[in-house]
Amino acid sequence: MSSPAENAPGCPFGHGAEAPAGHHGYEPFQMKDPFPAYAEMRAEQPLMFDERINYYVATRYDDIKAVFDDWETFSSENAQAPVRERGEAAKKIMLDGGFTAYSGLSARVPPEHTRMRAIVQKAFTPRRYKALEPAIRENVVTRLETMLARPGRDGDMVRDLAYDIPTITILTLIGADTSKIDTYKRWSDSRAAMTWGNLSDEEQVPHAHNLVEYWQECLHLVGAAKESGGDNLTADLVRAQAEGAGISDHEIASVLYSLLFAGHETTTTLISNCVRVLLAHPAQWGQVVADPKKIPAAIDEILRYSGSIVGWRRKALRDTTVGGVDIPQGAGLLLLMGSANRDEARFEDGEAFDISRPNAREHLSFGFGIHYCLGNMLAKLQAKIALEEIVRLAPTLQLVAPESITFRENLSFRVPETVPVTWES
């Protein structure tokens, strides 16, 4: 007998379409305010098959954490798979362009994942983070002072701060050209749209060209490191390979393909959300301004309350059960961490934002288990530096028209397009 996952039709939703009755208000590609739907799903149908996207959708903390922790049953092999199948035109562009990129780590499975993560993890050293910190702080201060010098006292914390900082940081870390921020952002936007978006065949075409360019750049960076060396993560991986580490050129390039996306896009969103959420709660913003030592705890609560990634995917390798629901072999699961992080079975009064929450660090925004985010410390470091300098230089910052903030449409990432602010002179 075929499973629901095998028979489900292609997804007709996205681009502003509303969920029909029976889906508890959940609209897979809509990120404006998914949390009421998440709460209803947790209460009414915590493990739901959504035929529009062909995934079982999990919403409760314990279920999602258990799936993340059981890699032998729930494979990560579909984590980077396109949500919508690529059209023939996009496929041809990518084939002709030599696009063979694969996930760095997040979609790989043991033993391949175990081998590669052990090698890559050695390049993510505290020494590298410490070396980056002064430049991160200098870049933050420069951009904030430029914004605050604007006579109209209006700014956008995405455009004026969060857009550049993590991109410069990750480009520096891997030894790429820091003058190409807009190019890398364009490539990253295309990767997000092609992997987690709901594009028509025609809409995919320009993004396919961008992905070819993106992959060729990753191959070029590996070649440059082999030829010239350097003091960066790419050169570290190339040296490790030369000393006998079991990692190929293609695998190093694939690691870069992942880092050049994950290493800045989610951190841009984290910094944006730190400002957006704190300013939306003036009393707690005031606490952070009065005592910047509260910033690390505030960041963990922001990651819980409004994480950059609200959904991630797994594939069932055998017939199994999640939350009392039978899951057939081969079925895809969408794990809504954005829902799990507000589950009141784990977080008391989970819909409330509270920077003094004692267990905020138990959030699942960085995943859990063997695929726990390798760059979590670097992301939190950049958010911490950004908030420290914002409360020092702009303590009177205020959010403008929060209700008008829009979020990009996709399945997994909750990305504010703008965070408009003003301040007192």
Side-chain angles (χ1 to χ4, degrees):
M1 178 180 293
S2 61
S3 71
E6 292 169 332
N7 290 331
C11 173
F13 290 87
H15 299 296
E18 295 183 358
H23 292 86
H24 308 283
Y26 175 57
E27 301 175 17
F29 295 91
Q30 301 304 305
M31 292 292 173
K32 175 70 174 178
D33 183 14
F35 301 106
Y38 292 170
E40 183 170 331
M41 292 163 72
R42 285 196 306 273
E44 301 295 333
Q45 198 176 6
L47 201 294
M48 174 187 78
F49 182 76
D50 192 327
E51 74 283 352
R52 301 167 300 170
I53 54 174
N54 208 20
Y55 279 87
Y56 286 87
V57 182
T59 54
R60 286 184 178 170
Y61 184 97
D62 287 345
D63 292 340
I64 292 173
K65 185 175 180 181
V67 171
F68 273 136
D69 203 31
D70 186 1
W71 60 266
E72 293 178 299
T73 302
F74 302 101
S75 171
S76 64
E77 64 193 70
N78 64 340
Q80 303 286 336
V83 173
R84 185 188 184 283
E85 185 177 356
R86 288 171 183 154
E88 292 305 316
K91 286 180 182 177
K92 186 176 189 307
I93 290 165
M94 296 170 76
L95 179 65
D96 292 348
F99 181 89
T100 58
Y102 187 55
S103 164
L105 291 172
S106 66
R108 294 181 189 262
V109 298
E112 183 182 56
H113 172 270
T114 308
R115 168 180 58 82
M116 287 182 61
R117 186 176 175 107
I119 297 165
V120 175
Q121 193 161 347
K122 292 177 182 177
F124 276 83
T125 62
R127 177 183 73 83
R128 290 228 171 271
Y129 294 159
K130 189 173 181 62
L132 289 168
E133 186 168 350
I136 296 170
R137 193 172 298 275
E138 181 180 354
N139 287 334
V140 168
V141 169
T142 297
R143 280 155 180 77
L144 280 175
E145 289 180 339
T146 299
M147 182 188 80
L148 294 170
R150 201 171 291 146
R153 300 202 307 275
D154 65 303
D156 172 10
M157 297 306 289
V158 177
R159 178 195 65 207
D160 292 322
L161 180 67
Y163 182 87
D164 284 355
I165 298 302
T167 315
I168 294 171
T169 299
I170 199 65
L171 294 181
T172 302
L173 179 68
I174 69 173
D177 185 353
T178 57
S179 71
K180 294 171 65 174
I181 291 174
D182 288 342
T183 299
Y184 281 104
K185 284 288 191 183
R186 172 169 55 84
W187 291 339
S188 294
D189 287 346
S190 288
R191 182 174 178 190
M194 286 286 277
T195 305
W196 296 279
N198 186 34
L199 305 178
S200 68
D201 288 4
E202 184 179 357
E203 289 170 331
Q204 290 177 7
V205 168
H207 295 295
H209 285 294
N210 285 341
L211 288 188
V212 168
E213 293 177 16
Y214 183 6
W215 175 238
Q216 292 302 323
E217 176 72 0
C218 293
L219 294 172
H220 167 75
L221 288 169
V222 176
K226 281 179 168 288
E227 182 176 337
S228 305
D231 184 18
N232 54 67
L233 185 142
T234 308
D236 287 350
L237 293 175
V238 166
R239 278 191 290 272
Q241 181 196 62
E243 293 166 2
I247 190 167
S248 68
D249 287 1
H250 191 280
E251 287 171 338
I252 295 173
S254 293
V255 169
L256 300 183
Y257 179 74
S258 290
L259 286 177
L260 284 169
F261 174 79
H264 62 91
E265 284 293 333
T266 53
T267 307
T268 288
T269 303
L270 174 58
I271 294 171
S272 302
N273 282 337
C274 281
V275 179
R276 181 180 63 83
V277 174
L278 280 169
L279 292 183
H281 297 82
Q284 296 188 69
W285 169 251
Q287 290 181 43
V288 170
V289 170
D291 184 5
K293 291 180 182 178
K294 293 184 177 181
I295 286 174
I299 291 171
D300 275 316
E301 176 65 352
I302 290 158
L303 283 162
R304 182 201 71 83
Y305 182 80
S306 188
S308 304
I309 302 175
V310 296
W312 211 239
R313 290 175 288 164
R314 289 291 184 264
K315 178 182 178 180
L317 297 181
R318 58 178 69 95
D319 290 348
T320 186
T321 302
V322 176
V325 176
D326 291 337
I327 306 294
Q329 179 181 352
L333 289 90
L334 176 63
L335 311 177
L336 293 181
M337 302 105 79
S339 172
N341 287 342
R342 296 192 180 199
D343 188 342
E344 298 202 349
R346 174 63 57 167
F347 302 102
E348 184 178 357
D349 197 12
E351 299 290 347
F353 178 69
D354 180 5
I355 64 173
S356 65
R357 184 180 298 277
N359 67 337
R361 294 187 69 181
E362 295 178 14
H363 66 78
L364 298 177
S365 291
F366 290 128
F368 187 79
I370 65 170
H371 287 93
Y372 187 79
C373 176
L374 199 60
N376 74 91
M377 290 177 58
L378 184 57
K380 291 170 74 171
L381 172 65
Q382 293 180 85
K384 175 176 173 288
I385 291 171
L387 281 179
E388 285 174 347
E389 296 304 328
I390 292 168
V391 301
R392 181 176 70 87
L393 295 172
T396 64
L397 216 58
Q398 298 172 41
L399 197 59
V400 176
E403 69 283 351
S404 68
I405 294 175
T406 59
F407 294 78
R408 295 183 188 175
E409 294 185 359
N410 72 92
L411 193 69
S412 293
F413 297 88
R414 189 162 184 262
V415 181
E417 299 275 13
T418 60
V419 180
V421 294
T422 188
W423 55 89
E424 297 176 9
S425 57

PDB file of all heavy atoms in Angstrom, residues 52-71:
ATOM      1  N   ARG A  52       0.138  19.359   1.153  1.00  0.00           N
ATOM      2  CA  ARG A  52       0.570  20.469   0.286  1.00  0.00           C
ATOM      3  C   ARG A  52       2.077  20.479   0.103  1.00  0.00           C
ATOM      4  O   ARG A  52       2.592  20.902  -0.942  1.00  0.00           O
ATOM      5  CB  ARG A  52       0.095  21.806   0.873  1.00  0.00           C
ATOM      6  CG  ARG A  52      -1.414  21.902   1.036  1.00  0.00           C
ATOM      7  CD  ARG A  52      -1.794  23.094   1.912  1.00  0.00           C
ATOM      8  NE  ARG A  52      -1.215  22.984   3.247  1.00  0.00           N
ATOM      9  CZ  ARG A  52      -1.228  23.966   4.136  1.00  0.00           C
ATOM     10  NH1 ARG A  52      -1.766  25.142   3.822  1.00  0.00           N
ATOM     11  NH2 ARG A  52      -0.708  23.786   5.330  1.00  0.00           N
ATOM     12  N   ILE A  53       2.806  20.029   1.109  1.00  0.00           N
ATOM     13  CA  ILE A  53       4.269  20.004   1.026  1.00  0.00           C
ATOM     14  C   ILE A  53       4.822  18.589   1.080  1.00  0.00           C
ATOM     15  O   ILE A  53       6.031  18.390   0.982  1.00  0.00           O
ATOM     16  CB  ILE A  53       4.909  20.866   2.140  1.00  0.00           C
ATOM     17  CG1 ILE A  53       4.398  20.455   3.530  1.00  0.00           C
ATOM     18  CG2 ILE A  53       4.671  22.349   1.873  1.00  0.00           C
ATOM     19  CD1 ILE A  53       5.102  21.168   4.679  1.00  0.00           C
ATOM     20  N   ASN A  54       3.928  17.619   1.307  1.00  0.00           N
ATOM     21  CA  ASN A  54       4.331  16.209   1.296  1.00  0.00           C
ATOM     22  C   ASN A  54       5.233  15.863   2.496  1.00  0.00           C
ATOM     23  O   ASN A  54       6.151  15.048   2.371  1.00  0.00           O
ATOM     24  CB  ASN A  54       5.048  15.863  -0.017  1.00  0.00           C
ATOM     25  CG  ASN A  54       4.882  14.403  -0.389  1.00  0.00           C
ATOM     26  OD1 ASN A  54       3.972  13.735   0.079  1.00  0.00           O
ATOM     27  ND2 ASN A  54       5.770  13.923  -1.238  1.00  0.00           N
ATOM     28  N   TYR A  55       4.968  16.475   3.636  1.00  0.00           N
ATOM     29  CA  TYR A  55       5.744  16.218   4.850  1.00  0.00           C
ATOM     30  C   TYR A  55       4.818  15.993   6.040  1.00  0.00           C
ATOM     31  O   TYR A  55       3.755  16.609   6.136  1.00  0.00           O
ATOM     32  CB  TYR A  55       6.655  17.407   5.167  1.00  0.00           C
ATOM     33  CG  TYR A  55       7.948  17.429   4.378  1.00  0.00           C
ATOM     34  CD1 TYR A  55       7.999  18.032   3.123  1.00  0.00           C
ATOM     35  CD2 TYR A  55       9.101  16.835   4.875  1.00  0.00           C
ATOM     36  CE1 TYR A  55       9.165  18.041   2.384  1.00  0.00           C
ATOM     37  CE2 TYR A  55      10.280  16.835   4.146  1.00  0.00           C
ATOM     38  CZ  TYR A  55      10.309  17.441   2.898  1.00  0.00           C
ATOM     39  OH  TYR A  55      11.473  17.442   2.170  1.00  0.00           O
ATOM     40  N   TYR A  56       5.264  15.131   6.938  1.00  0.00           N
ATOM     41  CA  TYR A  56       4.682  15.079   8.273  1.00  0.00           C
ATOM     42  C   TYR A  56       5.276  16.243   9.059  1.00  0.00           C
ATOM     43  O   TYR A  56       6.505  16.429   9.061  1.00  0.00           O
ATOM     44  CB  TYR A  56       5.018  13.754   8.964  1.00  0.00           C
ATOM     45  CG  TYR A  56       4.249  12.581   8.415  1.00  0.00           C
ATOM     46  CD1 TYR A  56       4.720  11.871   7.307  1.00  0.00           C
ATOM     47  CD2 TYR A  56       3.053  12.178   9.002  1.00  0.00           C
ATOM     48  CE1 TYR A  56       4.012  10.795   6.793  1.00  0.00           C
ATOM     49  CE2 TYR A  56       2.335  11.100   8.494  1.00  0.00           C
ATOM     50  CZ  TYR A  56       2.821  10.414   7.394  1.00  0.00           C
ATOM     51  OH  TYR A  56       2.110   9.357   6.887  1.00  0.00           O
ATOM     52  N   VAL A  57       4.440  17.007   9.718  1.00  0.00           N
ATOM     53  CA  VAL A  57       4.879  18.223  10.402  1.00  0.00           C
ATOM     54  C   VAL A  57       4.794  17.999  11.910  1.00  0.00           C
ATOM     55  O   VAL A  57       3.718  17.740  12.456  1.00  0.00           O
ATOM     56  CB  VAL A  57       4.004  19.429   9.990  1.00  0.00           C
ATOM     57  CG1 VAL A  57       4.504  20.700  10.671  1.00  0.00           C
ATOM     58  CG2 VAL A  57       4.014  19.595   8.473  1.00  0.00           C
ATOM     59  N   ALA A  58       5.944  18.090  12.580  1.00  0.00           N
ATOM     60  CA  ALA A  58       6.026  17.880  14.029  1.00  0.00           C
ATOM     61  C   ALA A  58       6.154  19.214  14.733  1.00  0.00           C
ATOM     62  O   ALA A  58       6.888  20.096  14.281  1.00  0.00           O
ATOM     63  CB  ALA A  58       7.220  16.996  14.372  1.00  0.00           C
ATOM     64  N   THR A  59       5.447  19.371  15.862  1.00  0.00           N
ATOM     65  CA  THR A  59       5.396  20.671  16.530  1.00  0.00           C
ATOM     66  C   THR A  59       5.783  20.647  18.002  1.00  0.00           C
ATOM     67  O   THR A  59       6.021  21.704  18.579  1.00  0.00           O
ATOM     68  CB  THR A  59       3.980  21.262  16.419  1.00  0.00           C
ATOM     69  OG1 THR A  59       3.028  20.305  16.913  1.00  0.00           O
ATOM     70  CG2 THR A  59       3.642  21.623  14.982  1.00  0.00           C
ATOM     71  N   ARG A  60       5.828  19.470  18.643  1.00  0.00           N
ATOM     72  CA  ARG A  60       6.106  19.428  20.080  1.00  0.00           C
ATOM     73  C   ARG A  60       7.589  19.210  20.358  1.00  0.00           C
ATOM     74  O   ARG A  60       8.288  18.501  19.633  1.00  0.00           O
ATOM     75  CB  ARG A  60       5.268  18.329  20.747  1.00  0.00           C
ATOM     76  CG  ARG A  60       3.800  18.714  20.878  1.00  0.00           C
ATOM     77  CD  ARG A  60       3.003  17.654  21.628  1.00  0.00           C
ATOM     78  NE  ARG A  60       1.604  18.070  21.787  1.00  0.00           N
ATOM     79  CZ  ARG A  60       0.629  17.277  22.231  1.00  0.00           C
ATOM     80  NH1 ARG A  60       0.901  16.008  22.560  1.00  0.00           N
ATOM     81  NH2 ARG A  60      -0.597  17.732  22.344  1.00  0.00           N
ATOM     82  N   TYR A  61       8.043  19.815  21.445  1.00  0.00           N
ATOM     83  CA  TYR A  61       9.457  19.813  21.815  1.00  0.00           C
ATOM     84  C   TYR A  61      10.007  18.399  21.930  1.00  0.00           C
ATOM     85  O   TYR A  61      11.038  18.062  21.322  1.00  0.00           O
ATOM     86  CB  TYR A  61       9.638  20.563  23.134  1.00  0.00           C
ATOM     87  CG  TYR A  61      11.081  20.710  23.583  1.00  0.00           C
ATOM     88  CD1 TYR A  61      11.793  21.879  23.309  1.00  0.00           C
ATOM     89  CD2 TYR A  61      11.729  19.706  24.287  1.00  0.00           C
ATOM     90  CE1 TYR A  61      13.105  22.032  23.726  1.00  0.00           C
ATOM     91  CE2 TYR A  61      13.048  19.838  24.706  1.00  0.00           C
ATOM     92  CZ  TYR A  61      13.719  21.009  24.421  1.00  0.00           C
ATOM     93  OH  TYR A  61      15.028  21.148  24.839  1.00  0.00           O
ATOM     94  N   ASP A  62       9.375  17.555  22.730  1.00  0.00           N
ATOM     95  CA  ASP A  62       9.920  16.226  23.001  1.00  0.00           C
ATOM     96  C   ASP A  62       9.995  15.384  21.729  1.00  0.00           C
ATOM     97  O   ASP A  62      10.974  14.650  21.522  1.00  0.00           O
ATOM     98  CB  ASP A  62       9.079  15.509  24.059  1.00  0.00           C
ATOM     99  CG  ASP A  62       9.285  16.073  25.459  1.00  0.00           C
ATOM    100  OD1 ASP A  62      10.271  16.821  25.663  1.00  0.00           O
ATOM    101  OD2 ASP A  62       8.457  15.780  26.341  1.00  0.00           O
ATOM    102  N   ASP A  63       8.998  15.493  20.873  1.00  0.00           N
ATOM    103  CA  ASP A  63       9.021  14.736  19.616  1.00  0.00           C
ATOM    104  C   ASP A  63      10.169  15.189  18.723  1.00  0.00           C
ATOM    105  O   ASP A  63      10.904  14.372  18.157  1.00  0.00           O
ATOM    106  CB  ASP A  63       7.696  14.911  18.862  1.00  0.00           C
ATOM    107  CG  ASP A  63       6.524  14.246  19.564  1.00  0.00           C
ATOM    108  OD1 ASP A  63       6.756  13.342  20.396  1.00  0.00           O
ATOM    109  OD2 ASP A  63       5.371  14.645  19.280  1.00  0.00           O
ATOM    110  N   ILE A  64      10.327  16.493  18.596  1.00  0.00           N
ATOM    111  CA  ILE A  64      11.357  17.034  17.700  1.00  0.00           C
ATOM    112  C   ILE A  64      12.750  16.729  18.225  1.00  0.00           C
ATOM    113  O   ILE A  64      13.644  16.309  17.466  1.00  0.00           O
ATOM    114  CB  ILE A  64      11.131  18.547  17.505  1.00  0.00           C
ATOM    115  CG1 ILE A  64       9.843  18.767  16.710  1.00  0.00           C
ATOM    116  CG2 ILE A  64      12.328  19.206  16.819  1.00  0.00           C
ATOM    117  CD1 ILE A  64       9.414  20.205  16.588  1.00  0.00           C
ATOM    118  N   LYS A  65      12.965  16.880  19.509  1.00  0.00           N
ATOM    119  CA  LYS A  65      14.273  16.577  20.081  1.00  0.00           C
ATOM    120  C   LYS A  65      14.605  15.102  19.895  1.00  0.00           C
ATOM    121  O   LYS A  65      15.752  14.744  19.567  1.00  0.00           O
ATOM    122  CB  LYS A  65      14.286  16.942  21.566  1.00  0.00           C
ATOM    123  CG  LYS A  65      15.662  16.781  22.218  1.00  0.00           C
ATOM    124  CD  LYS A  65      15.630  17.272  23.660  1.00  0.00           C
ATOM    125  CE  LYS A  65      16.999  17.114  24.313  1.00  0.00           C
ATOM    126  NZ  LYS A  65      16.981  17.569  25.739  1.00  0.00           N
ATOM    127  N   ALA A  66      13.618  14.230  20.071  1.00  0.00           N
ATOM    128  CA  ALA A  66      13.844  12.796  19.904  1.00  0.00           C
ATOM    129  C   ALA A  66      14.201  12.454  18.457  1.00  0.00           C
ATOM    130  O   ALA A  66      15.068  11.601  18.206  1.00  0.00           O
ATOM    131  CB  ALA A  66      12.600  12.024  20.344  1.00  0.00           C
ATOM    132  N   VAL A  67      13.548  13.099  17.492  1.00  0.00           N
ATOM    133  CA  VAL A  67      13.879  12.859  16.084  1.00  0.00           C
ATOM    134  C   VAL A  67      15.302  13.317  15.785  1.00  0.00           C
ATOM    135  O   VAL A  67      16.087  12.600  15.143  1.00  0.00           O
ATOM    136  CB  VAL A  67      12.865  13.558  15.160  1.00  0.00           C
ATOM    137  CG1 VAL A  67      13.337  13.501  13.698  1.00  0.00           C
ATOM    138  CG2 VAL A  67      11.492  12.910  15.292  1.00  0.00           C
ATOM    139  N   PHE A  68      15.664  14.511  16.220  1.00  0.00           N
ATOM    140  CA  PHE A  68      17.034  14.997  16.020  1.00  0.00           C
ATOM    141  C   PHE A  68      18.060  14.032  16.613  1.00  0.00           C
ATOM    142  O   PHE A  68      19.145  13.840  16.058  1.00  0.00           O
ATOM    143  CB  PHE A  68      17.216  16.374  16.676  1.00  0.00           C
ATOM    144  CG  PHE A  68      16.831  17.550  15.811  1.00  0.00           C
ATOM    145  CD1 PHE A  68      16.093  18.599  16.340  1.00  0.00           C
ATOM    146  CD2 PHE A  68      17.217  17.626  14.487  1.00  0.00           C
ATOM    147  CE1 PHE A  68      15.741  19.694  15.569  1.00  0.00           C
ATOM    148  CE2 PHE A  68      16.871  18.718  13.702  1.00  0.00           C
ATOM    149  CZ  PHE A  68      16.135  19.754  14.250  1.00  0.00           C
ATOM    150  N   ASP A  69      17.716  13.439  17.736  1.00  0.00           N
ATOM    151  CA  ASP A  69      18.680  12.608  18.474  1.00  0.00           C
ATOM    152  C   ASP A  69      18.809  11.201  17.901  1.00  0.00           C
ATOM    153  O   ASP A  69      19.751  10.488  18.230  1.00  0.00           O
ATOM    154  CB  ASP A  69      18.259  12.527  19.943  1.00  0.00           C
ATOM    155  CG  ASP A  69      19.414  12.182  20.863  1.00  0.00           C
ATOM    156  OD1 ASP A  69      20.559  12.566  20.529  1.00  0.00           O
ATOM    157  OD2 ASP A  69      19.189  11.545  21.899  1.00  0.00           O
ATOM    158  N   ASP A  70      17.894  10.788  17.024  1.00  0.00           N
ATOM    159  CA  ASP A  70      17.897   9.422  16.501  1.00  0.00           C
ATOM    160  C   ASP A  70      18.256   9.425  15.023  1.00  0.00           C
ATOM    161  O   ASP A  70      17.414   9.220  14.146  1.00  0.00           O
ATOM    162  CB  ASP A  70      16.521   8.777  16.737  1.00  0.00           C
ATOM    163  CG  ASP A  70      16.488   7.308  16.341  1.00  0.00           C
ATOM    164  OD1 ASP A  70      17.524   6.772  15.903  1.00  0.00           O
ATOM    165  OD2 ASP A  70      15.400   6.708  16.440  1.00  0.00           O
ATOM    166  N   TRP A  71      19.545   9.641  14.735  1.00  0.00           N
ATOM    167  CA  TRP A  71      19.969   9.756  13.341  1.00  0.00           C
ATOM    168  C   TRP A  71      19.912   8.414  12.612  1.00  0.00           C
ATOM    169  O   TRP A  71      19.884   8.382  11.374  1.00  0.00           O
ATOM    170  CB  TRP A  71      21.381  10.324  13.257  1.00  0.00           C
ATOM    171  CG  TRP A  71      22.442   9.494  13.942  1.00  0.00           C
ATOM    172  CD1 TRP A  71      22.894   9.642  15.212  1.00  0.00           C
ATOM    173  CD2 TRP A  71      23.170   8.395  13.389  1.00  0.00           C
ATOM    174  NE1 TRP A  71      23.860   8.714  15.505  1.00  0.00           N
ATOM    175  CE2 TRP A  71      24.054   7.927  14.395  1.00  0.00           C
ATOM    176  CE3 TRP A  71      23.177   7.758  12.159  1.00  0.00           C
ATOM    177  CZ2 TRP A  71      24.928   6.851  14.195  1.00  0.00           C
ATOM    178  CZ3 TRP A  71      24.042   6.683  11.953  1.00  0.00           C
ATOM    179  CH2 TRP A  71      24.909   6.250  12.959  1.00  0.00           C
TER     180      TRP A  71
END
